Amino acid sequence: MSREINEGNRIEAPKDQFESSQNDESSCSRSSLAGGTVLKKGHWSPSEDAILVDYVKKHGEGNWNAIEKRTELRRCGKSCRLRWANHLKPGLKKGALSREEVEKIDQLHCKLGSKWAKIAAMLPGRTDNEIKNYWHTRAKRYQRTCLPHYPQHVLRQALDENQQTLNYSMSNREDKGLGIVLQSAMHDSAKFFKANPGPQAYSLPFSDISFTGLQSQDLVSHTYSFNPGVNHAIQLRETESYFPGNHGSMASGHAMFEQLPHGPNPVNKNVPSFGYSEPGSLIQPNVNFSTSSPPTGTMKLELPSLQY
DNA sequence: AATTCCCGCAACCGCCTACAG
DNA sequence: GCTGTAGGCGGTTGCGGGAAT
């Protein structure tokens, strides 16, 4: 990418970044004050990279705080470690993530949640920062375009695994912790939805715990987030890229809506209906949205991941 | 052509944990 | 057991470039 090419030309970090380093309480700043020198912040120059690479070649990784003392590099240890790990370390892959990598990230995030370091460990040559950035960018885009955070097959797979785990934990007296946690999670979520009716964010009040194993058949169709009044042309485009099996026909967009409990709102066909009524459902029925006054929170109904 | 918006990315920040003294 | 330090991790910010208007 052009950023990689251009980065070498950025020698100096913005002035305010130098100044701010004298004021904040970060560990980097503390070390800079202790040494009486101001440590540089901001983007790295090629010469700084060269110093760091040279240092690691001679002394190996670790002891990052010693770099400032042993070389002319005026960077804090943390900054050095990050620069090395994310950019200078041999074997790092650059460029766009492959289809296989994206798929793996989806699966791992579905399982592990935001454990970027763990996910990165499963993807040789990729860094946690890279994966995290990718995920956040994509999540933002999908949130805007009403797409699910996980592809269908990843959800299915996760649900199957969760179901197996749950069945195992429920039946195994030795390992009843997960079952208790899930039961508790379900109870909490039920309380949450009862206490918070209306068009609020439909994220569960607990994180990284799935209660979906108990209703796996229903979940996939419930696991979408919608924003009223979004640009549906964009949405369709995104849908196409997300479900590459559907080749750009209207059916691709329609396929998404077919999975809704109810079809598009008959009153306003551009706005999907969020009214959702099902006996025993945790979600409040007949929730109406106005395009002129969008809900304050993001309407997010995301599959929590299982971290056990 | 100018402006605005969005995206991708690098880097920073704050918190946490492990470990040595 | 306490304290200080280093390193790791996840969340967030800010910048530059390109697309859209």
Side-chain angles (χ1 to χ4, degrees):
Chain A
M1 184 152 177
S2 60
R3 178 174 298 272
E4 282 298 319
I5 298 164
N6 292 338
E7 190 173 348
N9 298 327
R10 287 201 294 264
I11 304 299
E12 294 294 337
K15 195 182 174 186
D16 60 333
Q17 288 191 335
F18 287 93
E19 287 166 352
S20 70
S21 70
Q22 291 181 315
N23 298 326
D24 66 25
E25 292 296 320
S26 72
S27 55
C28 290
S29 302
R30 276 197 296 272
S31 63
S32 71
L33 290 173
T37 58
V38 178
L39 296 180
K40 188 179 172 186
K41 295 168 92 175
H43 289 274
W44 283 64
S45 69
S47 57
E48 288 178 309
D49 281 346
I51 294 170
L52 181 56
V53 169
D54 190 52
Y55 176 87
V56 175
K57 272 182 188 166
K58 284 180 185 165
H59 302 95
E61 293 182 39
N63 205 9
W64 299 108
N65 283 335
I67 295 176
E68 188 216 337
K69 293 160 194 154
R70 293 187 185 181
T71 71
E72 62 269 39
L73 194 55
R74 292 295 161 258
R75 294 277 186 172
C76 74
K78 272 188 169 187
S79 184
C80 292
R81 187 186 65 81
L82 218 57
R83 182 66 185 171
W84 174 259
N86 289 338
H87 300 280
L88 303 176
K89 196 175 182 176
L92 291 180
K93 279 188 201 168
K94 288 291 173 188
L97 294 162
S98 70
R99 195 180 194 80
E100 290 73 27
E101 287 173 319
V102 168
E103 187 138 323
K104 202 161 187 180
I105 291 169
D106 283 335
Q107 289 171 354
L108 290 169
H109 188 275
C110 201
K111 272 187 195 171
L112 303 170
S114 303
K115 300 295 176 188
W116 307 118
K118 284 196 176 78
I119 294 172
M122 310 277 193
L123 291 160
R126 299 296 184 182
T127 66
D128 55 351
N129 207 34
E130 199 176 3
I131 294 168
K132 183 170 59 180
N133 283 334
Y134 162 75
W135 186 268
H136 284 153
T137 302
R138 201 186 71 170
K140 211 166 135 188
R141 190 164 71 239
Y142 286 173
Q143 196 167 17
R144 205 179 59 252
T145 57
C146 305
L147 283 169
H149 289 237
Y150 303 103
Q152 281 181 311
H153 64 282
V154 173
L155 277 174
R156 287 277 181 205
Q157 194 179 332
L159 290 172
D160 289 346
E161 287 175 16
N162 285 6
Q163 180 72 69
Q164 285 169 16
T165 309
L166 187 66
N167 288 343
Y168 175 79
S169 64
M170 289 298 192
S171 61
N172 189 348
R173 293 272 178 196
E174 302 269 320
D175 181 27
K176 55 189 176 187
L178 176 62
I180 292 169
V181 168
L182 289 175
Q183 283 179 317
S184 167
M186 289 180 65
H187 181 67
D188 287 348
S189 64
K191 278 200 305 191
F192 172 80
F193 284 115
K194 199 172 177 180
N196 297 276
Q200 77 282 21
Y202 284 149
S203 297
L204 298 179
F206 49 86
S207 62
D208 299 331
I209 296 171
S210 174
F211 70 99
T212 57
L214 297 179
Q215 36 175 258
S216 61
Q217 283 309 108
D218 290 340
L219 181 126
V220 172
S221 63
H222 297 176
T223 311
Y224 296 97
S225 48
F226 296 93
N227 290 327
V230 298
N231 183 336
H232 286 83
I234 297 173
Q235 179 182 333
L236 203 56
R237 205 164 59 230
E238 297 290 351
T239 305
E240 191 181 335
S241 66
Y242 200 75
F243 295 95
N246 298 327
H247 297 291
S249 67
M250 281 302 291
S252 64
H254 184 58
M256 291 288 296
F257 289 108
E258 277 184 343
Q259 296 178 59
L260 294 174
H262 298 157
N265 188 331
V267 176
N268 182 351
K269 289 182 179 174
N270 286 330
V271 181
S273 167
F274 304 98
Y276 177 46
S277 177
E278 183 177 302
S281 169
L282 295 172
I283 299 173
Q284 292 295 315
N286 302 323
V287 178
N288 294 317
F289 297 92
S290 162
T291 50
S292 60
S293 56
T296 52
T298 305
M299 292 164 51
K300 185 180 171 189
L301 190 62
E302 181 180 350
L303 174 71
S305 51
L306 188 62
Q307 285 197 307
Y308 299 90

